[in-house]
Amino acid sequence: MDRVVRIGAAQLGPVARRDDRHEVVQRMVSLLDHAAEDGCDLVVFPELALTTFFPRWAMDDQEEIDSFFEAEMPGPATQALFTAAKRHGIGFCLGFAELVTDSGGAHRHYNTALLVDAETNEVGRYRKVHLPGHDEPEPWRPFQHLEKRYFDVGPDGFQTWRAFGGVVGMAICNDRRWPETYRVLALRGAEVVLIGYNTPVHNPPAPEHDALSDFHNHLVMQAGAYQNGMWVVGVAKAGDEEGVPMIGGTAIIAPSGEIVSQASTLGDELVVSDCDLDACASYRTTTFDFERHRRPEHYEIITTQRGSTPPD
Amino acid sequence: MDRVVRIGAAQLGPVARRDDRHEVVQRMVSLLDHAAEDGCDLVVFPELALTTFFPRWAMDDQEEIDSFFEAEMPGPATQALFTAAKRHGIGFCLGFAELVTDSGGAHRHYNTALLVDAETNEVGRYRKVHLPGHDEPEPWRPFQHLEKRYFDVGPDGFQTWRAFGGVVGMAICNDRRWPETYRVLALRGAEVVLIGYNTPVHNPPAPEHDALSDFHNHLVMQAGAYQNGMWVVGVAKAGDEEGVPMIGGTAIIAPSGEIVSQASTLGDELVVSDCDLDACASYRTTTFDFERHRRPEHYEIITTQRGSTPPD
């Protein structure tokens, strides 16, 4: 049985603070139309695709903060995306800020990715585990990175779902730098991992890394793909957003670790590849046959402690 | 305090089956002499440096197999290496096949790396955890990879030691493809990881990987360095050994993931870099501050199971 999924990685250029969600959704619908012409089965949008990357600002007013979140999905502004996708028969993965009200009326805030199938039925949602940045505003920074302030850590960890003829996992932005992300997903059978990101070129606490931002972005996703024998689709919100330049580098990466297609702009751009899920087996049944070669009895410290403990 | 360690990665060209250990040690002493001229503090030799890569042959005669192992270290042939190193005041890391006889007279066979300090006092030894290949001869292969047959899995896992002004870890060959290797070592504080390897260009079960052998070699070591903010020194036994071409690509990799020096031949060659152990902090106190950012509560499956279990 043919298990080739044609995936469109739908990079977005910057979204300004004043941009209306309807305008952003129109840009996404254009990319979906494009993807339909190209015969895509699945389109992947970036992290927090509907708004500007708001954790760059220190805000105290919870109502102002919540204005960047979606209390329903689809909602009034996003319905058009679901309608277009259903018309085209294309599934999609969408990153957005999710406001959840539990049965007791308490609010939870997640950095979320939603996956829907070609009928726009929900396949699953992933809530970001590795929140980067800080939780108290640091005035010395030219811009903030307050994800730890505005979001709760995803309580469900890394899950996988059967969809698009294979097994799909999701991760978000900073998750991609952590090898545990890919490994947990691969142990749960993922054959393709969908990852949206917003990555400023400049890292205020470590400006010495800035020149390496693009290199690091691809390095971690390529290693994650190869070491787990799976496809990785990395999708940027890119370009100069509110005066903060962000990397692009949207890429589709094969289980070999090779980038098979890549964005060449920092704007709205669709990158398409045929992803043969059967290509995973070449790695998973040989070099990375986990059952034959892994040695979990020697990995214990990975789960028993968080920080590093050098020898005496 | 200055924590710059000048490390020499001492790549070896092929070692033929008929080569006498004394000849090989003479080649290693030449590289040590070179390293002394270059002011090295530490020289790293490849995996199974003293002999040809014997797991490529199917052998049944245990005496023949044991002829590739060292029952003492230093022994008659390797004493010259220790003598030269002590004279120069250079520490070294040496890969060799280690035969251990326990108190009950039972034999254990390990693929081992030994680390000695500038006085040639033993710092520690590491016994390979991720043995690749197979344990039964497979006649269809042009050459075998019988590490699982000839070696026992290292019982002590990945350890670290204080030496050379920092914290040092070791890994061997196939270990470098597994992200758990670097992570366990980093959680034990490693600032530099020394890795010898013998990697045939051709992988009989997956010839479609052959063209990517060099790419994969660097990809995994660069990702391991960056994702853990540590130096990685990868050292090949390279070139055409008994008709089996092996990759070179000996490299010293910074905590940024950048290759800062690299071999340009497939023969005996010394690659030298000043490794500033304080450079690790730039990554470990920011993006990869484990204590602040890791989420072990979501990693459990990494240690609770060996193989992959896709969803229903």
Side-chain angles (χ1 to χ4, degrees):
Chain A
M1 196 189 73
D2 179 356
R3 295 210 303 142
V4 176
V5 186
R6 184 166 289 188
I7 300 181
Q11 178 174 287
L12 287 176
V15 174
R17 187 164 186 168
R18 64 161 199 283
D19 288 350
D20 185 76
R21 276 177 182 64
H22 288 93
E23 295 171 54
V24 182
V25 167
Q26 267 322 305
R27 288 163 58 186
M28 297 170 74
V29 167
S30 292
L31 287 162
L32 264 186
D33 293 345
H34 231 85
E37 285 166 29
D38 286 352
C40 288
D41 304 299
L42 169 61
V43 166
V44 184
F45 294 106
E47 176 195 35
L48 301 176
L50 300 168
T51 65
T52 197
F53 187 73
F54 61 90
R56 74 168 63 91
W57 293 299
M59 297 175 279
D60 284 321
D61 177 0
Q62 192 60 45
E63 204 173 323
E64 183 185 12
I65 296 166
D66 286 352
S67 72
F68 293 98
F69 283 74
E70 313 299 315
E72 45 179 345
M73 183 59 63
T78 45
Q79 183 55 58
L81 186 68
F82 285 73
T83 303
K86 191 163 188 172
R87 177 164 42 85
H88 290 310
I90 298 180
F92 66 82
C93 174
L94 170 69
F96 66 100
E98 181 188 26
L99 181 64
V100 176
T101 306
D102 70 18
S103 52
H107 289 163
R108 292 280 176 278
H109 296 77
Y110 299 115
N111 188 337
T112 296
L114 168 75
L115 181 66
V116 302
D117 67 16
E119 306 289 317
T120 66
N121 295 314
E122 179 164 335
V123 172
R125 53 182 82 192
Y126 163 70
R127 290 155 178 157
K128 190 172 180 178
V129 161
H130 295 100
L131 298 171
H134 46 119
D135 49 19
E136 288 302 324
E138 298 179 354
W140 64 269
R141 292 180 184 240
F143 53 89
Q144 307 294 306
H145 202 118
L146 289 164
E147 287 193 60
K148 284 195 198 292
R149 183 181 188 84
Y150 299 141
F151 296 110
D152 298 296
V153 172
D156 307 316
F158 298 99
Q159 300 171 273
T160 57
W161 296 272
R162 290 207 172 267
F164 302 96
V167 181
V168 184
M170 293 181 276
I172 298 177
C173 196
N174 183 47
D175 288 322
R176 76 196 189 287
R177 302 189 194 274
W178 299 85
E180 291 91 346
T181 298
Y182 307 93
R183 187 60 105 219
V184 169
L185 289 168
L187 284 165
R188 300 211 156 112
E191 297 173 305
V192 55
V193 177
L194 315 176
I195 308 176
Y197 57 89
N198 284 263
T199 300
V201 173
H202 176 49
N203 183 10
E208 66 273 23
H209 307 175
D210 294 358
L212 302 172
S213 298
D214 286 302
F215 165 61
H216 288 154
N217 177 44
H218 286 161
L219 177 63
V220 293
M221 294 195 292
Q222 292 182 273
Y226 168 63
Q227 292 176 319
N228 296 282
M230 61 195 187
W231 292 88
V232 171
V233 180
V235 187
K237 182 138 63 65
D240 191 317
E241 203 178 75
E242 300 286 339
V244 177
M246 300 194 297
I247 64 166
T250 291
I252 299 180
I253 300 161
S256 64
E258 294 170 291
I259 294 175
V260 294
S261 45
Q262 182 177 338
S264 61
T265 72
L266 294 175
D268 292 9
E269 180 179 352
L270 186 75
V271 170
V272 177
S273 279
D274 281 334
C275 301
D276 182 356
L277 302 184
D278 287 331
C280 302
S282 163
Y283 289 87
R284 294 192 173 189
T285 61
T286 61
T287 308
F288 298 119
D289 181 336
F290 287 178
E291 188 62 39
R292 269 199 297 153
H293 300 308
R294 289 184 80 243
R295 295 285 166 204
E297 64 273 27
H298 291 306
Y299 306 156
E300 214 172 277
I301 196 174
I302 291 175
T303 52
T304 54
Q305 69 184 53
R306 184 188 310 275
S308 178
T309 49
D312 293 333
Chain B
M1 196 189 74
D2 178 357
R3 295 210 302 143
V4 175
V5 186
R6 183 165 289 188
I7 299 181
Q11 178 173 289
L12 287 176
V15 174
R17 187 164 187 168
R18 65 162 197 285
D19 287 350
D20 186 75
R21 276 178 182 63
H22 288 91
E23 297 170 55
V24 181
V25 167
Q26 267 321 304
R27 288 164 56 187
M28 298 170 74
V29 167
S30 292
L31 287 161
L32 265 187
D33 292 345
H34 232 84
E37 286 166 29
D38 286 351
C40 288
D41 303 299
L42 169 62
V43 166
V44 185
F45 294 106
E47 174 195 36
L48 302 176
L50 300 166
T51 65
T52 197
F53 187 75
F54 60 89
R56 74 168 62 93
W57 294 298
M59 297 175 279
D60 284 322
D61 178 359
Q62 193 60 47
E63 204 174 323
E64 183 185 12
I65 296 166
D66 286 351
S67 74
F68 293 97
F69 283 73
E70 313 300 314
E72 45 179 344
M73 184 59 63
T78 45
Q79 182 57 58
L81 185 67
F82 285 73
T83 303
K86 191 162 188 173
R87 176 164 43 85
H88 290 309
I90 297 180
F92 67 81
C93 174
L94 170 69
F96 66 99
E98 181 188 26
L99 181 64
V100 176
T101 305
D102 71 18
S103 52
H107 288 165
R108 293 279 177 277
H109 296 77
Y110 298 116
N111 187 337
T112 297
L114 168 74
L115 180 65
V116 302
D117 67 16
E119 305 290 316
T120 67
N121 295 316
E122 180 164 335
V123 173
R125 54 182 80 191
Y126 164 71
R127 290 153 177 159
K128 189 171 180 177
V129 161
H130 295 101
L131 298 171
H134 46 120
D135 50 18
E136 287 301 324
E138 298 179 353
W140 63 268
R141 293 180 184 240
F143 54 89
Q144 307 294 306
H145 202 118
L146 290 164
E147 287 194 60
K148 284 194 197 292
R149 183 180 188 84
Y150 300 141
F151 296 111
D152 298 295
V153 172
D156 306 315
F158 298 99
Q159 300 171 273
T160 56
W161 297 271
R162 290 206 172 268
F164 302 96
V167 181
V168 184
M170 293 183 275
I172 298 177
C173 196
N174 181 47
D175 287 322
R176 77 195 187 287
R177 301 189 194 275
W178 300 85
E180 291 91 345
T181 298
Y182 306 94
R183 188 59 105 221
V184 169
L185 288 168
L187 284 165
R188 301 211 155 111
E191 297 173 304
V192 55
V193 177
L194 314 176
I195 307 176
Y197 57 89
N198 285 262
T199 301
V201 173
H202 176 50
N203 182 9
E208 66 273 23
H209 306 176
D210 293 359
L212 302 172
S213 298
D214 286 302
F215 164 61
H216 288 154
N217 177 44
H218 286 160
L219 177 63
V220 293
M221 294 195 293
Q222 291 182 272
Y226 168 62
Q227 292 176 318
N228 296 282
M230 60 194 187
W231 292 88
V232 172
V233 181
V235 187
K237 182 137 63 67
D240 190 318
E241 201 177 78
E242 300 285 339
V244 178
M246 300 195 297
I247 65 168
T250 290
I252 299 179
I253 299 161
S256 64
E258 294 170 290
I259 295 174
V260 294
S261 45
Q262 183 177 337
S264 61
T265 72
L266 294 174
D268 292 9
E269 180 179 352
L270 187 75
V271 170
V272 177
S273 279
D274 281 334
C275 302
D276 182 356
L277 302 184
D278 287 332
C280 302
S282 164
Y283 289 87
R284 294 191 174 190
T285 61
T286 63
T287 308
F288 298 118
D289 181 336
F290 288 179
E291 188 61 40
R292 269 200 297 155
H293 300 307
R294 291 184 78 243
R295 296 285 165 204
E297 64 272 27
H298 291 306
Y299 306 156
E300 214 172 275
I301 196 174
I302 291 175
T303 52
T304 56
Q305 68 184 53
R306 183 187 310 274
S308 179
T309 49
D312 292 333

